[in-house]
């Protein structure tokens, strides 16, 4: 009986070993397909991340545009109530060939700065923008600015 138990145990071990060898062979056959699926999934994730970044950028642009439109509406409303104010970009006059340079030099302040005659208009404009939660706005108060030079500066000789 002991001998038959030993033979049975040996046969079971042999079957287990054969099953392990077959399982290892199957894993080796499936590994390239699994690697390819993983690579495709990584590519899909990268593409999804790129789409997400694009969608976030578009949402940011849309928010900025709607905020800009809302600021325009707020300033129009102020004008309608008799508050004299203009965006800095409305006050500038530059030849077409110089507009890009002017915008580059002034950066974001060109559309976030209001020109107002007095501090009273500045306070009204800032309060309107604050109440509407439209971000930050700066004001150039004309009555508080120094007088410009009598003649514009001359370009250097050369």
């Amino acid at each position: 009986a002991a001998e038959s138990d030993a033979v049975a145990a040996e046969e079971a071990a042999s079957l287990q070993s054969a099953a392990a060898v077959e399982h290892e062979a199957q894993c080796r056959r499936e590994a390239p397909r699994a690697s390819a699926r993983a690579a495709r999934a990584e590519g899909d994730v990268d593409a999804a991340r790129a789409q997400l970044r694009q969608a976030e950028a578009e949402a940011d642009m849309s928010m900025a545009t709607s905020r800009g439109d809302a600021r325009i509406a707020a300033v129009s409303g102020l004008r309608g109530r008799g508050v004299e104010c203009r965006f800095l970009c409305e006050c500038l006059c530059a030849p077409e060939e110089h507009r890009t340079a002017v915008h580059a030099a002034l950066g974001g302040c060109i559309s976030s700065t209001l020109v107002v005659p007095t501090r009273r208009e500045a306070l009204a404009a800032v309060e309107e923008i604050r109440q509407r939660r439209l971000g930050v706005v700066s004001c150039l108060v004309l009555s508080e600015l120094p007088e410009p030079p009598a003649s514009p500066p001359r370009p250097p000789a050369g």
Side-chain angles (χ1 to χ4, degrees), residues 43-65:
D44 292 346
V45 168
D46 289 343
R49 283 188 179 131
Q51 286 178 332
L52 177 60
R53 282 191 300 273
Q54 178 67 30
E56 286 171 341
E58 289 172 5
D60 288 346
M61 182 60 78
S62 178
M63 291 286 287
T65 300

Side-chain angles (χ1 to χ4, degrees), residues 31 34 42-43 64 104 120 125 127 147:
E42 284 179 11
R120 183 183 68 79
E127 182 61 19
E147 287 294 319

Side-chain angles (χ1 to χ4, degrees), residues 1 5 16 26 30 36 45-46 54 68 72 84 95 100 104 119 123 144 149:
D5 286 344
Q16 272 185 326
Q26 183 179 359
E30 291 180 10
V45 168
D46 289 343
Q54 178 67 30
I72 291 168
E84 192 178 327
T100 301
R119 184 170 291 270
L123 293 172
E144 298 178 12

Side-chain angles (χ1 to χ4, degrees), residues 101-125:
V102 169
H103 284 268
L106 294 174
C109 72
I110 198 164
S111 60
S112 65
T113 300
L114 294 173
V115 179
V116 296
T118 67
R119 184 170 291 270
R120 183 183 68 79
E121 281 91 355
L123 293 172

Side-chain angles (χ1 to χ4, degrees), residues 4 13 33 37-38 40-41 47 50 59 81 89 100 105 112 125 130 135 137 142 146 149-151 154 157:
S4 89
R33 288 189 295 259
R37 283 193 309 272
R40 282 193 305 274
R81 292 194 313 267
C89 58
T100 301
S112 65
R130 186 192 66 75
V137 67
L142 294 175
S151 62
R154 294 185 181 178

